[in-house]
Amino acid sequence: MDDLTPLRQQWLDRIKSAADPAAIEDVRLAALGKKGEISLKMRELGRMSPEQRQTTGKALNALRDEIDTALRARKAALDDAALEARLAGEWLDVTLPGRPRPQGTIHPVSQVMDEVTAIFADMGFAVAEGPQVETDWYNFDALNIAPEHPARQEHDTFFMHRAPGDDRPPHVLRTHTSPVQIRAMQDQGAPIRVIAPGRVYRMDMDQTHTPMFHQIEGLAIDRDISMAQLKWTLEEFFSAFFGTRVKTRFRASHFPFTEPSAEVDIQCSWEGGTLKLGEGEGWLEVLGSGMVHPHVLRSGGIDPDAWQGFAFGMGIDRMAMLKYGIPDLRAFFESDLRWLRHFGFMPGDVPSVAGGLNR
């Protein structure tokens, strides 16, 4: 084969004269493409003698590599030149103030659920979950709620639609997270210590109630659980949640699922229309509690003659309003963060990891 020097110089000159990426691509195809000049010459190697093939093949490979390297270098140079030209024609005044960007934050209900969960986790309570569509048995019967109880009427509970001939047990949107306690007892047995946070549904639609809200319930069962331990648990929780020592007051009450039952109030005062917790002579009701009824223990598969325990429940929405000073329930359903900020809500410094008998 003839000397490759002229061929080499020819392609190097064409590469050097290429003025843009499109021209570079044309040169590449003409030289190294499937039908390019150098590619066609390499196909001729098969017709050569072994000695010629060794010498010419080595020279053609070196030429191909050199042309490929030159193509890449020229393309990089053209790209750099294009960037320099763009930078020279475009500019940005970095001294201008930045454009404000909307700042999101954790919703107060979600944040409070995480905070409550973390506090109870420190006390050894695990998180239990269950379905939001429950059977009538789990939502009422297993919790010792009699068939004639007002909560089982349609104006208090969302009952799921039944087609004619459907003989399955009635299903409802759970009215509390108490069914989760039954399921946890059935799954884990005793001893057990769980909390059950989640959404619940009731036919309450007025200025102070909503048809969907959030609760968290607690359940502790062991051999010698007492009301004294219930009181200690709740006082420790309130003090951790509100960041100050909070006294509690237990008032006798009635819930079908606990016996004895108690409403729990926390110490507070009103000064200039401002609620302050942990001080003063006033009391504010925040949750319901009591010792688990024997019927409820049996429904959960636990022998009430060998085990006993306490349960409590509170509304997450209400706890959020108390902690962050949000006086209007509608704030939780406004998507505009300015509405929440209007009521003084600011996200906590350390979001943690969350009911019940009473909203």
Side-chain angles (χ1 to χ4, degrees), residues 176-298:
H176 41 195
T177 56
S178 301
V180 179
Q181 297 183 16
I182 301 296
R183 293 181 178 275
M185 285 188 282
Q186 291 177 337
D187 292 342
Q188 302 177 35
I192 187 173
R193 197 181 306 179
V194 295
I195 54 172
R199 296 185 184 92
V200 296
Y201 307 85
R202 295 183 194 173
M203 292 283 286
D204 287 342
M205 304 178 201
D206 56 40
Q207 291 182 336
T208 59
H209 296 84
T210 58
M212 187 279 290
F213 52 101
H214 304 80
Q215 287 187 337
I216 186 165
E217 301 193 5
L219 173 71
I221 296 174
D222 211 320
R223 297 289 184 183
D224 300 307
I225 293 288
S226 68
M227 288 286 285
Q229 291 166 323
L230 168 62
K231 182 177 176 64
W232 178 89
T233 299
L234 293 177
E235 287 186 344
E236 288 298 308
F237 162 72
F238 290 133
S239 297
F241 182 73
F242 292 113
T244 185
R245 180 56 57 179
V246 178
K247 294 182 180 179
T248 61
R249 181 179 68 176
F250 280 49
R251 289 180 291 106
S253 185
H254 169 73
F255 301 113
F257 20 79
T258 52
E259 180 60 38
S261 303
E263 301 275 8
V264 179
D265 305 332
I266 57 176
Q267 181 187 19
C268 69
S269 69
W270 287 91
E271 294 182 7
T274 300
L275 175 66
K276 295 184 178 181
L277 301 175
E279 60 181 62
E281 302 297 325
W283 297 95
L284 178 68
E285 177 190 332
V286 289
L287 60 84
S289 65
M291 300 299 292
V292 182
H293 196 286
H295 179 79
V296 176
L297 291 174
R298 292 190 190 96

Side-chain angles (χ1 to χ4, degrees), residues 48-57:
M48 298 180 183
S49 65
E51 294 77 10
Q52 289 178 314
R53 188 183 306 125
Q54 183 176 6
T55 303
T56 306

Side-chain angles (χ1 to χ4, degrees), residues 85-154:
R86 182 180 176 186
L87 291 175
E90 298 178 4
W91 60 277
L92 174 67
D93 186 352
V94 296
T95 64
L96 290 174
R99 295 184 180 93
R101 302 184 66 180
Q103 181 182 5
T105 184
I106 299 175
H107 192 279
V109 170
S110 299
Q111 179 167 305
V112 167
M113 193 171 293
D114 286 345
E115 292 174 351
V116 172
T117 299
I119 294 170
F120 282 114
D122 287 342
M123 292 190 236
F125 286 81
V127 175
E129 296 180 329
Q132 296 182 40
V133 177
E134 270 291 8
T135 65
D136 192 65
W137 186 85
Y138 275 106
N139 197 76
F140 295 122
D141 295 328
L143 296 164
N144 200 37
I145 300 177
E148 66 276 6
H149 194 282
R152 302 182 75 149
Q153 299 178 18
E154 290 189 4

Side-chain angles (χ1 to χ4, degrees), residues 295-323:
H295 179 79
V296 176
L297 291 174
R298 292 190 190 96
S299 298
I302 294 177
D303 183 2
D305 294 327
W307 304 90
Q308 62 190 37
F310 63 72
F312 59 85
M314 68 191 82
I316 291 293
D317 312 68
R318 187 177 186 192
M319 298 301 290
M321 294 173 70
L322 290 175
K323 180 165 184 175

